[in-house]
Amino acid sequence: MRRLIPTGEAMRPVEFADVPRPVPEADEALIEVEAFAPNRGETFLLERPTPGLLPGKDVAGLVVQAAADGSGPGVGARVVGHPPQGGWAEYAAVPTHSLAVLPDGIDSVRAAALPLAGITALRLLRTAGSLTGRRVLLTGASGGVGHYVTELAAAAGAEVTVVSATPERGMRLAELGAAEVVHDVAAAGGLFDVVLESTGGPQLPLAVSKVRPGGLLLWFGQASRTPATLDFFELLGGPAGVTIQHFHYAGAPYGPELATLVRLVEQGRLHPEIGRVADWSETAGALVDLRERRIRGKAVLTTGAVR
């Protein structure tokens, strides 16, 4: 079968290789991959790939071999999955606890856009607690996670202010429920019950200053790739008793969240934002554009196996 493997080259970060099909563990199903969606964090891993790195965590396709232990969907089921790695290939072995069955109304392209970004959004908002009637500030809102967070938080009754780099991207976030769109953290008006911060660098101290006394800042990313510095004495002059909490989405099983995301999409309550769909022969270019923030929302690559 064909698989995309890292090259270590900046402008051509992956290339095709012919390799054997993966042999599933007893609790894994073998999936014929129809579509996959790279994440921006994966583009950073490709800059200095570790030996044996097999990228690919967001896949959708068809079960061609059920798990030997009898768990999970059977042969012929259409599924979305979140394997630990190895999804940028014709076939991927996926633990059954991290699969969800797709209804007929959801195609593989939309499904592939769900896993990492959607699971992150669900778990992030769950960590934030009840949002009804609360003011929420979201930085770095133009990426895949930001679109899901905006739509889900607004639907939960939050008043959401988003930070987006461009008016075009901000317009889409407003359509998804954002009450206010600003282009810099400093421009966000007033104080917020919850701040969801994903940029790092100099934006983190600004975001902290926007939290109301006793409020919560959840730090879930560092898209700027610049370390943040907090000045204790500046904090003394800001809101009192602010909680700053590190957040990372990871931790299987992912199946329950995937099933929730699929249900929300099927009910028309969640809308994957897909900025590019292309054949997987164009993966290298898509990865560069994703890394350089030239794609709004998600990029999805198709293998040609889509039915």
Side-chain angles (χ1 to χ4, degrees), residues 92 131 177:
L131 296 178

Side-chain angles (χ1 to χ4, degrees), residues 132-144:
T132 304
R134 305 177 81 189
R135 299 196 76 219
V136 175
L137 174 64
L138 171 65
T139 69
S142 297

Side-chain angles (χ1 to χ4, degrees), residues 228-242:
T229 300
L230 292 175
D231 187 321
F232 179 82
F233 297 104
E234 285 187 5
L235 289 178
L236 284 178
V242 170

